[in-house]
Amino acid sequence: KKRVLSGIQPSGRLTLGNYIGAMKNFVKLQDLHQCYFMVADLHAITVPQEPETLRDLSEANAALFIAAGIDPAKSNVFLQSAVPQHAELGWLLTTLTTMGELERMTQFKDKSNGKESIGAGLFVYPSLMAADILLYNADLVPVGDDQKQHLELTRDLAGRFNSRFGKYFTAPEPYIPEVGARIMSLDDGTKKMSKSSAVPGSFIALLDEPDVIRKKISRATTDSGAEVRYDVVNKPEVSNLMSIYSQCSDMSLEDIRVKYEGKMYGGFKKDLAEVIVATLEPLQNRYYDIRSSGEIRDILAQGAQNASEIATQTLDEVKQRMGFLSSK
Ligand code: TYM
């Protein structure tokens, strides 16, 4: 059995991008491996969050994990902030990270671009993410394409620690879907679909009602052509819709091309909306059941307890190797 860890920031309502890029694989991996899935609340505060909103989104997103099919009997679901070893190992790894490495992170460049005041947390964020992963010595990290560079840094930090303090950390591998690793925004095929976007029409939230989904898909940008064909360079928007279609059905991109050959975008979009609705409706029903049952608090408490067992062992070992005097 391998160890799997991943996390999602409660910085907005989860989207179809999060589901396709990451959560679908969480569900797939839990049957084969030992899994840790966290609500990355310590990461979310690298940009300002309203306390009440953060609390609400943290609980909502944990419930969405379960609604999407993560089984708390198989996987550990927890809040990052409930396992203090994340922050502590984060600091230790920050001291092994160089400014140059952090300056090269494209997510930092994107998020800080044009801002006159940039939080230091946003800058050191990748070291904390490395800590999340290395704390569990995870072998596999299911993520979307945008997290690849952070995973590369994590591997470098694992290697750096190992060469300075003796081999201890496993270099984790990203686990990225073949189709849908980067779901694009519905109004612009060159921008990533983002849960923190201010334009609701640009994303599909997992909790969007069926009619909202239908409206958003019918308004989604397409090119002026009429061909349903996968071509990311020349037809980024249509290609994106095809990826979503494929991931919400059991059809390959080629199956979809053949099905809509010689047809217009209208019918394709109509069917796509129904495929998405059929995927999300059962998830939404489970979500509202979980929220009203109140069981999420117990799931998070149990998950944090299980996670703490491994996290404590790792941190003790790391501190011992780095030369901290034990006071036990
Ligand atoms: P976050 O919260 O931005 O996104 C959560 C997961 O969803 C994936 N994702 C997407 N996949 C496809 N298309 C999209 N448009 C899309 N948008 C988001 C992300 O790649 C991610 O897998 N730094 C992480 C959270 C994190 C983490 C970790 C992940 C913190 N610690 C440790 C893995 C391991 C983040 O900001 O993800």
Side-chain angles (χ1 to χ4, degrees), residues 5-9 11 15 17-18 20-22 38 40 43 80 107 111 125 129 132-133 141-147 150-151 180-184 192-195:
L5 176 126
S6 196
I8 299 191
Q9 293 192 60
S11 49
T15 69
N18 300 128
I20 293 173
M38 57 171 209
H43 276 96
Q80 184 185 27
Q107 189 168 66
K111 289 198 178 176
Y125 170 123
M129 178 162 160
D132 300 335
I133 297 166
V141 183
V143 283
D145 196 56
D146 61 336
Q147 298 300 317
H150 291 155
L151 254 292
R182 189 175 176 83
I183 297 295
M184 308 312 272
K192 192 183 70 168
M193 183 182 284
S194 166
K195 66 170 118 63

Side-chain angles (χ1 to χ4, degrees), residues 12-266:
R13 307 241 160 231
L14 298 189
T15 69
L16 203 52
N18 300 128
Y19 178 73
I20 293 173
M23 294 160 87
K24 270 189 82 180
N25 278 335
F26 295 1
V27 176
K28 182 169 144 195
L29 290 168
Q30 71 178 347
D31 290 322
L32 308 165
H33 304 296
Q34 187 184 2
C35 291
Y36 295 86
F37 299 121
M38 57 171 209
V39 174
D41 50 4
L42 296 176
H43 276 96
I45 60 165
T46 55
V47 298
Q49 304 289 344
E50 278 304 321
E52 274 318 311
T53 312
L54 181 64
R55 226 184 314 275
D56 177 54
L57 286 176
S58 296
E59 185 163 338
N61 289 358
L64 279 171
F65 282 15
I66 310 297
I70 294 173
D71 178 352
K74 295 178 186 162
S75 298
N76 300 294
V77 176
F78 63 99
L79 301 172
Q80 184 185 27
S81 61
V83 182
Q85 286 80 7
H86 285 259
E88 195 170 351
L89 184 61
W91 171 250
L92 301 181
L93 293 180
T94 298
T95 67
L96 296 181
T97 315
T98 69
M99 300 282 287
E101 284 172 317
L102 296 172
E103 280 160 359
R104 280 196 291 279
M105 294 291 127
T106 57
Q107 189 168 66
F108 172 71
K109 288 194 233 173
D110 291 347
K111 289 198 178 176
S112 58
N113 191 17
K115 302 249 160 69
E116 61 179 69
S117 166
I118 302 156
L122 199 62
F123 188 60
V124 297
Y125 170 123
S127 305
L128 178 60
M129 178 162 160
D132 300 335
I133 297 166
L134 299 180
L135 203 46
Y136 302 91
N137 254 308
D139 304 283
L140 287 179
V141 183
V143 283
D145 196 56
D146 61 336
Q147 298 300 317
K148 243 169 143 168
Q149 197 188 24
H150 291 155
L151 254 292
E152 233 2 271
L153 177 68
T154 304
R155 293 169 58 84
D156 290 346
L157 289 175
R160 192 167 307 154
F161 180 93
N162 290 349
S163 66
R164 283 189 55 183
F165 304 111
K167 179 152 181 31
Y168 180 62
F169 285 131
T170 311
E173 298 282 348
Y175 188 90
I176 296 176
E178 263 174 52
V179 174
R182 189 175 176 83
I183 297 295
M184 308 312 272
S185 161
L186 297 178
D187 60 350
D188 180 349
T190 64
K191 281 199 333 218
K192 192 183 70 168
M193 183 182 284
S194 166
K195 66 170 118 63
S196 48
S197 165
V199 185
S202 73
F203 59 85
I204 290 189
L206 296 182
L207 295 176
D208 276 346
E209 284 174 11
D211 278 341
V212 173
I213 294 173
R214 292 184 184 107
K215 200 174 278 167
K216 286 183 178 178
I217 291 297
S218 83
R219 290 186 185 160
T221 308
T222 44
D223 50 68
S224 55
E227 235 184 324
V228 178
R229 176 168 59 83
Y230 194 81
D231 176 346
V232 182
V233 177
N234 298 306
K235 300 170 76 70
E237 286 88 6
V238 170
S239 302
N240 184 47
L241 296 179
M242 287 177 77
S243 296
I244 296 175
Y245 198 128
S246 174
Q247 283 286 359
C248 292
S249 66
D250 48 16
M251 289 171 75
S252 67
L253 297 172
E254 179 57 13
D255 294 340
I256 295 165
R257 186 191 66 77
V258 170
K259 179 166 179 184
Y260 295 98
E261 195 153 27
K263 300 196 179 125
M264 311 285 265
Y265 291 153

Side-chain angles (χ1 to χ4, degrees), residues 265-305:
Y265 291 153
F268 165 67
K269 280 178 147 189
K270 232 185 182 125
D271 292 352
L272 170 61
E274 295 317 313
V275 165
I276 298 171
V277 168
T279 302
L280 296 187
E281 256 188 336
L283 183 153
Q284 295 176 358
N285 293 336
R286 283 196 296 272
Y287 173 82
Y288 293 111
D289 286 348
I290 294 161
R291 284 307 294 261
S292 58
S293 77
E295 64 192 296
I296 200 68
R297 297 293 177 104
D298 294 335
I299 292 171
L300 290 172
Q302 185 62 54
Q305 196 185 324

